[in-house]
Amino acid sequence: MSQQLKVLFIGDIVGSPGLSLLETLLPSIISKHNADFVIANAENSHEGMGINEEIIRSLYKLGVHVITGGNHSFAKWKIYPYMKTDPNLLRPLNYPKGAHGFGYGIYDIPGTSQKIGVVNLQGRTYMQTIDDPFRTADWVLEKVKEQTNIIFIDFHAEATAEKMAFGWYVDGRASVMAGTHTHIPTADARILPKGMGYITDVGMTGPYHSVIGMDKETAIKRFLIQTPHKYKMANGDNRICGLVTEIDTETGQCSSIEPVTFPGFETKASS
């Protein structure tokens, strides 16, 4: 019989500001939305770039089932040996053969008889020239469908056009495609004609008094002077940006998709 599965996705976690907020609020957000399965992108969780074992363990304790990544998954070399051992820690599947870690997995959904496939892919426009995510999706989606038709894709990419093109390409073959990497939440969450939930970018979980998580003054100097400046984490106006989706367990199609932002952004000046 058809049931509705609720999947909560947490957008790019940026450094200690994002982690601290999740430690306080994530369990209550999971409870509020009755989430059956939780995925979080954490490639920027360690000092704004990369991840470590302590953070991974902390996220699992908070209720995260699968951690996805992106172009900064390999930023901290000490994580490489661990990446080989934890199938719940993903990095983009379309890195060339020989890269550490796992690019997708099929997981039991706690309290149910259902399984969910989670696929992590990375775009190539203005990013590393890795393997083709479109062709990679062709074979991995067929492989996952041998075990489940519930499939969640984290597509980590710079160009909005590439994200949108990829969304149209996999519509009807995946349940949800959540865009990550640009750290700015987009207002285009919707269900595409063949039943896939889509959003160009979920946004980041971290400090919004920043330039995509970076200290404002340091970022401005980069543009004014056009010379390199050391990355410096920002702090302040910390928010969680995520996505709650409902998926029909029989068809694998998305029945609802809703961005989650807490606290919400102010749209009027305070008096």
Side-chain angles (χ1 to χ4, degrees):
M1 190 175 79
S2 177
Q3 297 176 319
Q4 294 298 310
L5 170 74
K6 283 196 172 185
V7 178
L8 171 66
F9 180 77
I10 301 297
D12 301 59
I13 303 165
V14 180
S16 55
L19 289 168
S20 297
L21 196 57
L22 287 175
E23 287 172 1
T24 303
L25 296 175
L26 183 57
S28 62
I29 290 174
I30 294 172
S31 177
K32 176 183 177 180
H33 293 283
N34 296 311
D36 300 297
F37 201 81
V38 183
I39 307 166
N41 185 296
E43 62 136 14
N44 292 313
S45 56
H46 184 204
E47 300 173 340
M49 190 178 295
I51 194 170
N52 62 29
E53 289 185 50
E54 182 181 356
I55 291 170
I56 293 165
R57 289 192 293 269
S58 173
L59 290 174
Y60 288 155
K61 287 180 181 178
L62 288 172
V64 174
H65 298 104
V66 172
I67 298 170
T68 55
N71 58 308
H72 291 149
S73 289
F74 304 97
K76 300 294 196 308
W77 64 267
K78 289 183 179 180
I79 198 65
Y80 289 4
Y82 179 86
M83 291 174 76
K84 299 178 181 179
T85 69
D86 186 353
N88 293 63
L89 174 66
L90 301 182
R91 48 78 173 169
L93 177 63
N94 55 314
Y95 269 81
K97 185 177 179 180
H100 299 280
F102 304 87
Y104 78 99
I106 299 170
Y107 310 97
D108 293 325
I109 300 170
T112 77
S113 59
Q114 305 289 335
K115 293 180 182 293
I116 182 172
V118 182
V119 179
N120 196 180
L121 291 164
Q122 183 174 308
R124 298 189 294 181
T125 305
Y126 309 125
M127 299 184 79
Q128 292 96 327
T129 53
I130 56 179
D131 295 343
D132 182 359
F134 290 76
R135 300 301 184 191
T136 302
D138 287 341
W139 72 259
V140 74
L141 293 178
E142 286 300 313
K143 189 172 182 63
V144 173
K145 279 186 178 292
E146 294 174 1
Q147 296 190 52
T148 180
N149 62 353
I150 303 169
I151 304 174
F152 193 106
I153 301 174
D154 176 347
F155 190 61
H156 198 80
E158 181 77 26
T160 54
E162 187 175 17
K163 291 180 182 180
M164 295 179 76
F166 184 83
W168 289 115
Y169 188 69
V170 297
D171 182 25
R173 296 191 285 163
S175 307
V176 179
M177 191 218 98
T180 58
H181 178 67
T182 50
H183 291 198
I184 303 299
T186 55
D188 61 340
R190 63 197 191 275
I191 298 174
L192 299 185
K194 295 180 182 178
M196 186 185 76
Y198 171 89
I199 187 169
T200 299
D201 202 282
V202 178
M204 72 175 184
T205 294
Y208 278 81
H209 278 172
S210 70
V211 176
I212 62 171
M214 183 181 182
D215 174 73
K216 300 189 297 294
E217 297 306 318
T218 304
I220 291 169
K221 284 180 181 178
R222 282 186 173 185
F223 288 100
L224 286 175
I225 305 174
Q226 292 295 302
T227 58
H229 289 78
K230 184 179 179 180
Y231 183 93
K232 182 180 178 183
M233 276 290 309
N235 201 354
D237 193 28
N238 299 330
R239 300 173 191 269
I240 294 174
C241 278
L243 192 69
V244 173
T245 62
E246 288 189 82
I247 301 168
D248 186 290
T249 58
E250 186 173 329
T251 65
Q253 294 184 341
C254 183
S255 51
S256 73
I257 180 168
E258 178 187 359
V260 174
T261 304
F262 188 84
F265 290 104
E266 297 81 12
T267 57
K268 294 182 180 180
S270 57
S271 56

